[in-house]
Amino acid sequence: MSLDTPMDAEALRQALCDNDREPEGPARNARAERLFAQIEQLGDTSLVIDGLDHLMQVYNYSSEADKMFVPFARLLRMWDDRPEDFDRRQVHSLFWMFKWVSSGMVDQPHIPLASIEKWQAEMEHRYRLAGHSERAVRQGEMRIARHVGDLERAQRAYDAWQAADRDDKSDCHACELRTQGSWQAQRDDDEGALVTWRPVLDGEFTCAHEPHAVLAASLLPLLRLGRAEEARAHHLRGYRLARSKESMRSAVARHVEFCALTGNEARGLEILAERPSYFTDTGEPSSLLSYLEVTALLTDRLTALGHGDMSMTGPGGRAWAVRELAVHARTEARAIAARFDARNGNTYFSEQSAERMDRTPLLDRLPLGVRSVRPVPAPREAPAEAADATGAGAGAGSGSGSGSDLAGLLVEARRLSEAQHPHATDAWAAVAEAADREGTELPVLERAEIDEHRGTAPATPPAEAIGLFTSAAGLYEAAGEPGRAATALARAAYCVSLDGRPAEALEAVQEPCDRALALYAEGRSTARQTGRALLCRARILNDMIGGMQVQEAVEAAVTSLEEAAHALLGLAEPEQAEPGVGVVIGEALGYLGDITAFRGDAPGAAELYTRAADAYVRAGRPWFAVEPESQLAGVSRHLGDLETAERASRSALEHAAPFAGPGGRARLHLQLVETLADTGKLGEAADHALEAAHWADEAGESAGNGAYARHRLGGFLLQLGRADEAAAVLESVLPDLTRQDHGDGMIVQTLWWLGDCCTALGAPREAAEHWLKAADIARGWPEQRDHAMLANLAGQALFRAQLNPQAELAYRRAGDLWRDLGDVHALVRTLRVRAWIAVREGQAGIDAARELMAAAATECESALAASADADACAALHAELADTYRQTGDLIASSCDGEPGDDDTDGSARAAYEEAVALVLRAVAVFEEAGGQFTDLRTGAQLMASWLHASLGDASAAVALAEGVLATYEGSGDGPADDTAESRRAEARAVLTEVAGA
């Protein structure tokens, strides 16, 4: 009904109730105002009180909290003039609202402190006269004292609050515990605060805004205590709960602050961008101040990281430069804090605000698992211990360490080159930079090494690298290093292959390889130099295989590569004592492993990959072992050797960690994830999926490996019973998933898991939405079982959400699919649930329900007639029996009243007699089904027993109950059986009921 259509009192009361269930925000407030305008025209005093009460409620839980004082003042005048107009509920609400008004005034700097204290005293006076506990009064006093920074008074009020008795004017347990814990945290007792909050965090005490606020409040205490894992979980849980509630701006601010202090600046920006109105809603200045403070904290952090010019959504919904918003937020925050200070007569607010805006990060990096397209902050330095462990020197890649000491930089670069270290290229770049800066002409050998390492840099295009390697070859020749010159020419030829010309590259590499071998024979080239030249030919052959389409050509190239690899081993293995030759051996063994795998010999490939990795490690170059270890992990997993797969994956990750780029680290973590999942180590798999998601984001691969990592992480968290965290992660995956890039299966599985999460979190409507979306995708699959299951799950969720027409449609869809799939049991269950939906209020009714139950029975009977399998027939008999039982239950529960004096027309007796006949029929069919269905049979017996008792047939009721006791006689002597004990207890209850009748 339109709010502009005149309504009577009953309709207006219903409209108030309906509006109360709407989401917080200006729209709900506007509806409340329009409803109240109609209410005033009716002149119904009780309805006016309810309308004012509703206005108070919606204003208080919105960004317009400043509006609640006017309706409260009017309510209070009405109470003082005619208290008899208020019923008990309205009186309770009026006194309850005193708490919001008196202490809530502190959030409005335009209200003088004297007025606030006056209202607080008024509340105390009225509570005393009404006989209420002073508990709420003292809590309000504490809030005022904390606000103005009078911590001694706040402690006295806190003690008095805790000493006072609870009554119906006290805040709920969850809200009280939140305030108690926040006071402990303010007094530097983080551990005590978390202990106080535990019942709220564990779900023992909840309300409309808890644990939302406690989860947000716990973030900084957890970080300060070093409990980062819990803080991450609380962020994922808490922000998902708070984001939809407009009144929780202060809680959202805590989540932004958490992001700014844990290296999650991008996540913080995304949160700020979700609700631009939070920057400009002025109805509650205290929470606006909180939001501006954390905005300044976050944007200052981004500016310090070099991203002050980046654009972001800010006040007014327009784009702001980060540095611009930083200045704006800090200026506005200072102005609001100054208004509070002027009102309070001190500088407490400004001091607290400045401290918050100037906080420094508590953690450099805390992966969250949720999607976050990073603004790519300046790279954070690797931990010093990682650099020390490599022996690389902390400043090798940046030109620092030795500063402008060119000689020192040269020594370091040579050392890293000799070790074939991943940082060698950066070290030579630092040498070149220092030489240019100092205007030093380097000797020809150093110039050759610089050109060669420039050619190896990942960012160097192949065409440019060809020139650099060719230049290096000439310089090596001039420096009297012919072996290194031949290697450089071979590398130039390999770059021709990388440039898309493999055939030309294969021809070009032959001459430097021949020259390297000749020089080796003459003793003018080392085994390492010669081997590196020959490796280039093997690499070209390997690249050629990948681009071939004709099988005969592939086989020929594989044979050539195999010959090249064996030739390399023949050269290198006798010289393996020479430093660096182990790298040649390792790469050659790796190629042989690939060839062996290509030919279908997985065990042989695993052995060769193992030898390749060992060669690299023995040579002191473990970073090269990453590739064969990864291949070994894959082959071993294929063979079912999960122990080896896990060990190889861990080694690959360990060896790559100090050197691999973010994308490489993401892939290695994901590889370990799959093996850990196969071995059932879900907790550790979740940890590595979290790391994979983080590194994928760092690499700019949020929509690729990042999405897959989050998908897996969400599934693991769900399996681990952490549905709230799983939901946050999986929701962040969905925007990145496309059919083209990820496939329908991954999208459907993500939606399926999200439905499971929402079900676990008590949100059946949301669960149904996810399952229906998944079902619509699965509708087009050749195999329809997933489609049927998803439709069935959606029906269950809609049924639980009391969305009856939608549930009926979903179950009808599922039933049609189950029929097509030949799953009689699933089909029958959908028909029975549809029958129960039919008897719900406003639905088709008992006749339609009977028809559906009859259709379910017919399906069972038809399947029984067509089946000759004893086990299948037993299960179908049980299904038929349960259909009879449920039909009897439905008929009995759908009639008005029970048999007795009020059953003047005998309709209840007739329904119960029909019901008991059906349930007894169920008992007989359960008997026919066999002993494995004993518990179902005795359940039906007890139902029939109760029905007989209601009909006044005591002997039949007793006989059935005693039959149940006989069935379980002696079962209590064995292992605990909850069903048996429950059945015995119910049977005894029937006997007691009948005996007392």
Side-chain angles (χ1 to χ4, degrees):
M1 181 183 295
S2 170
L3 295 182
D4 296 324
T5 303
M7 289 180 269
D8 60 19
E10 183 178 353
L12 283 166
R13 281 197 170 89
Q14 184 59 51
L16 291 176
C17 292
D18 293 342
N19 196 46
D20 191 56
R21 290 191 289 267
E22 291 295 316
E24 297 175 357
R28 184 171 74 156
N29 295 0
R31 282 191 295 271
E33 291 163 356
R34 292 167 69 184
L35 287 171
F36 187 70
Q38 284 205 38
I39 287 170
E40 286 198 294
Q41 294 175 9
L42 288 182
D44 183 325
T45 300
S46 179
L47 189 55
V48 168
I49 292 172
D50 285 342
L52 290 168
D53 181 282
H54 182 65
L55 282 172
M56 283 275 300
Q57 297 279 348
V58 299
Y59 287 151
N60 184 64
Y61 292 114
S62 77
S63 60
E64 299 179 307
D66 56 332
K67 290 185 176 182
M68 71 178 176
F69 303 112
V70 173
F72 177 75
R74 182 172 172 183
L75 270 174
L76 195 58
R77 284 197 305 272
M78 293 177 70
W79 165 257
D80 288 339
D81 292 343
R82 290 180 56 85
E84 63 271 19
D85 289 340
F86 289 70
D87 62 24
R88 175 179 290 185
R89 174 184 56 81
Q90 292 166 337
V91 172
H92 170 78
S93 183
L94 175 67
F95 277 84
W96 182 270
M97 290 173 184
F98 252 112
K99 300 185 298 184
W100 297 354
V101 172
S102 58
S103 60
M105 287 180 176
V106 297
D107 296 327
Q108 307 292 333
H110 68 280
I111 300 178
L113 198 57
S115 296
I116 297 171
E117 295 286 6
K118 177 183 175 183
W119 274 99
Q120 180 66 20
E122 180 74 8
M123 175 187 174
E124 182 174 0
H125 174 68
R126 289 177 180 262
Y127 267 46
R128 186 178 300 115
L129 288 178
H132 299 313
S133 168
E134 68 169 11
R135 188 175 182 89
V137 176
R138 299 283 76 85
Q139 183 179 355
E141 181 188 1
M142 176 196 172
R143 182 179 179 188
I144 295 169
R146 286 180 69 183
H147 175 87
V148 299
D150 187 347
L151 302 188
E152 291 184 3
R153 180 189 177 192
Q155 185 63 54
R156 290 195 301 272
Y158 177 89
D159 294 338
W161 167 33
Q162 297 305 293
D165 293 333
R166 280 187 59 82
D167 66 358
D168 64 352
K169 301 301 179 291
S170 303
D171 278 356
C172 74
H173 283 291
C175 289
E176 282 205 338
L177 290 173
R178 180 194 70 229
T179 304
Q180 292 166 20
S182 70
W183 175 245
Q184 290 169 293
Q186 185 176 349
R187 304 293 277 177
D188 298 324
D189 184 9
D190 288 337
E191 193 68 59
L194 290 165
V195 171
T196 297
W197 286 328
R198 181 54 53 196
V200 181
L201 296 171
D202 289 346
E204 181 180 347
F205 299 118
T206 62
C207 68
H209 290 77
E210 294 298 347
H212 318 36
V214 165
L215 285 163
S218 70
L219 295 172
L220 278 187
L222 285 169
L223 289 175
R224 288 192 293 254
L225 290 171
R227 292 156 64 174
E229 301 300 315
E230 290 178 70
R232 173 176 58 229
H234 287 199
H235 168 66
L236 294 179
R237 288 179 61 196
Y239 181 64
R240 186 172 180 274
L241 291 171
R243 67 192 300 180
S244 63
K245 294 190 177 293
E246 190 193 44
S247 63
M248 303 205 74
R249 177 164 56 183
S250 291
V252 171
R254 292 180 185 274
H255 287 283
V256 174
E257 179 179 44
F258 165 82
C259 293
L261 299 179
T262 58
N264 288 288
E265 298 86 3
R267 168 75 167 168
L269 285 182
E270 290 170 358
I271 293 174
L272 290 181
E274 286 191 9
R275 201 186 280 265
S277 62
Y278 268 172
F279 288 109
T280 52
D281 289 339
T282 57
E284 190 182 60
S286 62
S287 67
L288 175 58
L289 172 60
S290 179
Y291 203 70
L292 290 167
E293 287 168 347
V294 299
T295 299
L297 172 68
L298 177 67
T299 49
D300 280 346
R301 173 72 177 147
L302 281 165
T303 301
L305 288 169
H307 300 286
D309 295 328
M310 187 177 64
S311 178
M312 63 171 289
T313 302
R318 73 169 177 85
W320 291 65
V322 165
R323 69 174 76 254
E324 177 191 10
L325 184 55
V327 172
H328 171 82
R330 187 173 286 268
T331 300
E332 291 295 307
R334 285 172 173 165
I336 296 174
R339 288 171 59 201
F340 278 112
D341 284 347
R343 191 271 305 277
N344 297 341
N346 58 31
T347 59
Y348 181 73
F349 250 78
S350 293
E351 291 167 3
Q352 295 296 305
S353 182
E355 187 276 330
R356 191 178 195 187
M357 290 189 286
D358 294 338
R359 284 176 180 162
T360 56
L362 297 173
L363 290 174
D364 182 58
R365 180 181 77 94
L366 178 63
L368 300 179
V370 290
R371 177 180 183 269
S372 181
V373 181
R374 291 189 60 84
V376 196
R380 298 179 171 93
E381 293 182 7
E385 60 269 25
D388 292 343
T390 66
S398 62
S400 60
S402 299
S404 60
D405 182 0
L406 183 57
L409 290 172
L410 273 169
V411 169
E412 179 66 1
R414 283 249 163 75
R415 184 182 70 80
L416 293 175
S417 292
E418 182 61 28
Q420 297 170 286
H421 196 279
H423 291 163
T425 296
D426 292 337
W428 281 106
V431 169
E433 180 184 345
D436 289 343
R437 188 170 55 246
E438 297 177 10
T440 301
E441 178 69 24
L442 290 171
V444 64
L445 180 59
E446 282 78 358
R447 298 207 312 271
E449 290 172 306
I450 288 171
D451 279 356
E452 184 176 23
H453 283 90
R454 279 177 175 164
T456 64
T460 304
E464 183 181 338
I466 293 169
L468 288 167
F469 283 126
T470 303
S471 170
L475 292 170
Y476 278 132
E477 286 285 3
E481 293 280 355
R484 297 177 77 175
T487 299
L489 286 173
R491 297 179 83 172
Y494 175 53
C495 289
V496 172
S497 178
L498 296 177
D499 200 37
R501 297 171 284 157
E504 183 181 336
L506 189 61
E507 182 178 346
V509 81
Q510 192 60 50
E511 192 278 330
C513 285
D514 291 342
R515 184 191 305 181
L517 286 168
L519 289 168
Y520 177 69
E522 298 169 5
R524 299 171 61 204
S525 175
T526 65
R528 171 177 166 178
Q529 293 167 356
T530 306
R532 290 176 70 188
L534 298 180
L535 276 176
C536 291
R537 182 172 184 275
R539 290 169 185 167
I540 294 169
L541 287 167
N542 189 56
D543 288 352
M544 291 179 71
I545 294 169
M548 290 178 172
Q549 303 297 324
V550 180
Q551 185 62 29
E552 291 79 2
V554 172
E555 291 288 354
V558 167
T559 299
S560 296
L561 177 59
E562 184 176 25
E563 292 171 354
H566 281 298
L568 275 164
L569 291 176
L571 169 77
E573 285 184 330
E575 304 278 3
Q576 58 185 294
E578 180 185 325
V581 173
V583 173
V584 176
I585 296 171
E587 189 166 343
L589 288 168
Y591 287 131
L592 291 175
D594 294 344
I595 292 166
T596 305
F598 170 78
R599 291 174 175 162
D601 181 6
E607 181 185 352
L608 285 161
Y609 290 140
T610 301
R611 289 175 57 196
D614 289 346
Y616 288 130
V617 173
R618 283 198 308 272
R621 276 70 168 166
W623 44 86
F624 287 118
V626 172
E627 184 173 355
E629 285 169 337
S630 295
Q631 292 163 316
L632 173 60
V635 171
S636 298
R637 189 162 168 256
H638 169 75
L639 292 169
D641 183 0
L642 298 181
E643 182 179 350
T644 299
E646 181 180 341
R647 183 172 61 250
S649 293
R650 290 186 188 280
S651 293
L653 191 56
E654 177 187 352
H655 291 148
F659 317 110
R665 294 185 73 165
R667 288 184 285 277
L668 290 169
H669 278 290
L670 278 175
Q671 183 179 58
L672 182 53
V673 162
E674 301 303 335
T675 302
L676 291 170
D678 288 345
T679 57
K681 299 176 181 177
L682 300 186
E684 192 176 0
D687 292 341
H688 284 281
L690 177 66
E691 286 291 323
H694 166 78
W695 289 114
D697 288 344
E698 290 278 332
E701 299 172 0
S702 293
N705 280 333
Y708 181 70
R710 275 182 281 278
H711 168 80
R712 294 292 274 155
L713 173 60
F716 294 139
L717 291 172
L718 177 62
Q719 288 179 272
L720 291 165
R722 295 154 63 181
D724 37 16
E725 296 172 62
V729 171
L730 292 169
E731 285 170 351
S732 78
V733 174
L734 284 177
D736 284 325
L737 298 185
T738 65
R739 292 185 175 185
Q740 180 179 357
D741 294 334
H742 304 95
D744 285 349
M746 186 168 163
I747 299 173
V748 166
Q749 183 64 79
T750 301
L751 289 166
W752 197 322
W753 283 337
L754 263 174
D756 290 341
C757 290
C758 292
T759 299
L761 296 172
R765 184 170 190 161
E766 291 81 353
E769 290 173 359
H770 293 306
W771 282 329
L772 287 172
K773 288 178 184 177
D776 285 342
I777 297 172
R779 184 195 298 272
W781 291 358
E783 212 293 312
Q784 286 289 284
R785 184 161 292 275
D786 283 340
H787 181 196
M789 180 60 74
L790 286 161
N792 213 104
L793 287 169
Q796 291 175 14
L798 292 165
F799 182 83
R800 287 193 293 270
Q802 300 286 320
L803 296 171
N804 300 317
Q806 298 93 324
E808 157 66 23
L809 287 173
Y811 272 119
R812 184 190 295 271
R813 173 181 178 181
D816 291 342
L817 290 164
W818 291 127
R819 178 179 283 108
D820 292 342
L821 289 165
D823 192 328
V824 177
H825 296 276
L827 168 60
V828 166
R829 289 164 190 169
T830 63
L831 290 167
R832 291 198 303 243
V833 178
R834 289 174 60 197
W836 284 103
I837 294 172
V839 295
R840 282 182 165 182
E841 185 177 352
Q843 300 308 300
I846 186 64
D847 291 339
R850 284 174 176 273
E851 290 180 8
L852 287 163
M853 285 295 188
T858 299
E859 293 289 348
C860 291
E861 290 162 353
S862 298
L864 276 167
S867 178
D869 180 86
D871 291 338
C873 285
L876 285 167
H877 273 108
E879 204 73 70
L880 178 60
D882 206 34
T883 301
Y884 292 145
R885 181 194 65 80
Q886 288 197 40
T887 305
D889 190 7
L890 183 145
I891 290 170
S893 62
S894 298
C895 69
D896 294 329
E898 296 184 6
D901 295 338
D902 295 332
D903 184 25
T904 56
D905 61 356
S907 58
R909 170 166 288 277
Y912 270 55
E913 287 174 346
E914 182 184 3
V916 77
L918 283 162
V919 178
L920 288 172
R921 189 175 180 184
V923 172
V925 179
F926 274 130
E927 286 273 15
E928 191 175 351
Q932 67 266 44
F933 300 105
T934 294
D935 290 338
L936 291 174
R937 173 178 59 79
T938 55
Q941 281 180 261
L942 287 167
M943 181 183 291
S945 181
W946 285 114
L947 289 168
H948 274 303
S950 297
L951 288 165
D953 189 349
S955 60
V958 168
L960 286 164
E962 288 179 342
V964 171
L965 290 173
T967 297
Y968 293 108
E969 187 176 0
S971 63
D973 299 333
D977 185 334
D978 292 340
T979 301
E981 181 55 40
S982 174
R983 294 285 191 269
R984 284 196 297 267
E986 189 175 352
R988 288 191 288 268
V990 172
L991 296 174
T992 301
E993 178 79 13
V994 171

